[in-house]
Amino acid sequence: MTRLNTRISAVAAACALVSHVSFAEDSSLTNPAISAVLDGYYQNTERPMAEREEGFGLGHTEVAISANIDDMFYGKLTAVLEVHEGETELGLEEAFIQTTAMPAGFSVRAGRFLSDVGYLNNQHVHTDAFSDRPAAYRAFLGSHYFDDGVRLDYVAPTDLFWAMGIEAFKGDNMRAEDEHGERDFTNLGVYTAYTKIGGDIGVSSSWQVGLSYLRNENGRLTAHEEHGIEPAAEDGHDHDHAHAAKYTGENTYVADFVYKWAPNGNYKYQHLTVSGEYFKVTDFAPLDEHDDGHLHGNEHEPDDQTGWYLSSVYQISPNWSAGLRYGQVNTQELHDDHFDSQKLKETEVSLAWHHSHFSTVRLQYTNQQGTNFDGFTDDNVITLQYVMTLGAHGAHQF
């Protein structure tokens, strides 16, 4: 019995030694970053196209795990919990791999991930300085557009930061409505291209501008359909809450900018961020089939759908920040054989208390003006929100 115990101990020690030697080469293989973000709130009423409901609720609560897979690949998984109409819903927002060792500034990402169009979209919503994304994001990108696909990125070897990329996605959440379920959608529905350029101004300021284009093969309405989201899915949940774009078109153009200032580049104690984006969505009216059997553009094309916002957030001290944001969105609603114009304007003020980098309590006031915009009336919205991070969480993007 003594010899058996000695033998087992020797084997265990050898395995432990081999395991220690192999894992020591890359600590991230045995110690992945695991985090959770808790998002809770109280809100006195609802907003158009927004995820938060009236009363107490859970917002964008996420659990994430990420690590280097080996010396060639990085991987990340992000699951999201939300409460909608009293039911807890579990969704998968990210599940991707990315190359880490491609030459000449190239990288490839594949799986499910956030698209890199615009400025805010590639950032998780809990990093925002306001409780909800601007109205333009909620209307044209379903708040934040993530999808299954592939991306090719390139960072140029220039003095200024210059990145560009292309993406291809399934595009299910960007489809125009199919009221009767008879439409033959393209399986590979969305393509994007973008470029971002940025740099520093002295030691205290930095900037970035970007241009993006999104081609939606399934974005144009078909005749006799109401403009909007797809009907309820088989599971009974409507696509509005499932992050689908409510107003679509074949072509979406986005221009964005951000400017950041911090004394001597030290963002810990004080900093200012000014940002804005402009959206233009075109070619969404139904096509008419004429006697020649070909599809033609509608003779009475409606105005393009547009949206924009301008945001300013000032961190007064390490514990307090204040934000001001104004935005509006102009959409077209199809009724029978004509379009009706809609406009939504939002003025928002937020005050946030940060006890640390991992905890935020936010009070926000929103004045929304858009009578009969999707059935909503002019209103004042009060939101009290907390965002708390548990565990190791990656750095936020610029």
Side-chain angles (χ1 to χ4, degrees):
M1 193 66 160
T2 304
R3 274 183 291 176
L4 179 60
N5 287 338
T6 303
R7 225 178 261 172
I8 292 175
S9 298
V11 172
C15 290
L17 178 61
V18 172
S19 175
H20 176 75
V21 171
S22 59
F23 288 159
E25 295 177 0
D26 189 346
S27 60
S28 67
L29 299 180
T30 57
N31 187 28
I34 302 175
S35 67
V37 178
L38 308 179
D39 181 345
Y41 69 90
Y42 172 81
Q43 190 164 275
N44 68 324
T45 188
E46 294 187 12
R47 306 172 64 184
M49 306 170 293
E51 299 169 17
R52 300 184 192 276
E53 300 175 339
E54 181 178 349
F56 290 103
L58 288 179
H60 200 80
T61 299
E62 71 174 44
V63 178
I65 178 171
S66 62
N68 290 330
I69 298 169
D70 51 32
D71 61 333
M72 296 289 291
F73 298 98
Y74 164 85
K76 186 174 184 181
L77 176 71
T78 303
V80 176
L81 291 166
E82 293 177 290
V83 176
H84 180 54
E85 295 182 350
E87 295 186 5
T88 301
E89 301 175 357
L90 175 63
L92 191 62
E93 186 173 279
E94 293 177 309
F96 67 84
I97 60 170
Q98 180 165 330
T99 61
T100 59
M102 288 185 66
F106 286 96
S107 66
V108 172
R109 179 177 293 194
R112 178 172 297 183
F113 52 90
L114 295 163
S115 172
D116 210 2
V117 294
Y119 172 61
L120 285 178
N121 194 74
N122 67 356
Q123 305 178 44
H124 291 177
V125 294
H126 69 261
T127 67
D128 293 359
F130 298 87
S131 62
D132 285 298
R133 287 277 158 98
Y137 265 86
R138 306 197 311 267
F140 303 137
L141 293 175
S143 183
H144 55 298
Y145 176 47
F146 57 90
D147 207 344
D148 300 341
V150 63
R151 171 195 296 168
L152 174 65
D153 267 321
Y154 172 69
V155 178
T158 56
D159 292 337
L160 290 176
F161 168 74
W162 185 16
M164 59 198 78
I166 54 175
E167 301 169 323
F169 294 110
K170 286 177 60 178
D172 288 358
N173 286 341
M174 298 294 286
R175 291 175 175 176
E177 180 189 13
D178 181 20
E179 184 178 358
H180 304 292
E182 300 174 348
R183 184 167 176 177
D184 186 16
F185 286 111
T186 301
N187 290 327
L188 190 58
V190 169
Y191 304 89
T192 75
Y194 53 85
T195 184
K196 303 174 189 290
I197 301 174
D200 296 328
I201 305 174
V203 297
S204 299
S205 300
S206 54
W207 60 275
Q208 179 179 286
V209 296
L211 292 173
S212 304
Y213 169 69
L214 186 150
R215 173 68 180 185
N216 186 357
E217 297 292 339
N218 301 313
R220 187 182 284 272
L221 293 168
T222 52
H224 310 299
E225 289 183 344
E226 292 290 333
H227 191 339
I229 60 174
E230 293 178 345
E234 293 181 359
D235 59 4
H237 304 310
D238 65 59
H239 286 237
D240 187 23
H241 186 71
H243 311 290
K246 180 152 192 193
Y247 297 93
T248 62
E250 286 187 348
N251 302 295
T252 300
Y253 306 90
V254 187
D256 63 86
F257 82 93
V258 59
Y259 167 80
K260 295 189 176 185
W261 170 86
N264 297 317
N266 187 347
Y267 280 79
K268 180 178 180 180
Y269 299 104
Q270 186 183 28
H271 64 260
L272 171 70
T273 300
V274 179
S275 61
E277 296 185 66
Y278 176 80
F279 290 75
K280 181 178 180 180
V281 179
T282 69
D283 302 307
F284 52 87
L287 294 173
D288 295 329
E289 186 170 357
H290 290 232
D291 294 337
D292 60 4
H294 294 87
L295 294 174
H296 300 274
N298 195 308
E299 295 179 0
H300 305 287
E301 287 284 343
D303 293 336
D304 295 334
Q305 302 184 107
T306 60
W308 62 274
Y309 75 88
L310 182 63
S311 169
S312 177
V313 180
Y314 180 53
Q315 180 163 316
I316 307 166
S317 70
N319 299 118
W320 290 95
S321 66
L324 175 64
R325 185 172 73 188
Y326 176 81
Q328 67 180 49
V329 62
N330 302 276
T331 61
Q332 301 287 337
E333 185 80 13
L334 179 61
H335 293 289
D336 298 326
D337 60 349
H338 69 280
F339 281 89
D340 292 334
S341 298
Q342 297 184 129
K343 178 177 288 188
L344 175 65
K345 301 178 181 179
E346 291 182 332
T347 304
E348 304 173 89
V349 180
S350 71
L351 179 66
W353 174 68
H354 319 272
H355 180 65
S356 70
H357 180 70
F358 303 97
S359 63
T360 297
V361 177
R362 177 178 295 113
L363 178 63
Q364 179 173 312
Y365 164 76
T366 301
N367 174 258
Q368 63 184 29
Q369 297 182 17
T371 302
N372 295 326
F373 186 98
D374 284 0
F376 282 78
T377 59
D378 297 354
D379 210 344
N380 297 304
V381 184
I382 305 295
T383 307
L384 181 62
Q385 175 195 21
Y386 67 78
V387 179
M388 307 284 172
T389 303
L390 291 71
H393 196 74
H396 298 158
Q397 303 204 26
F398 179 78

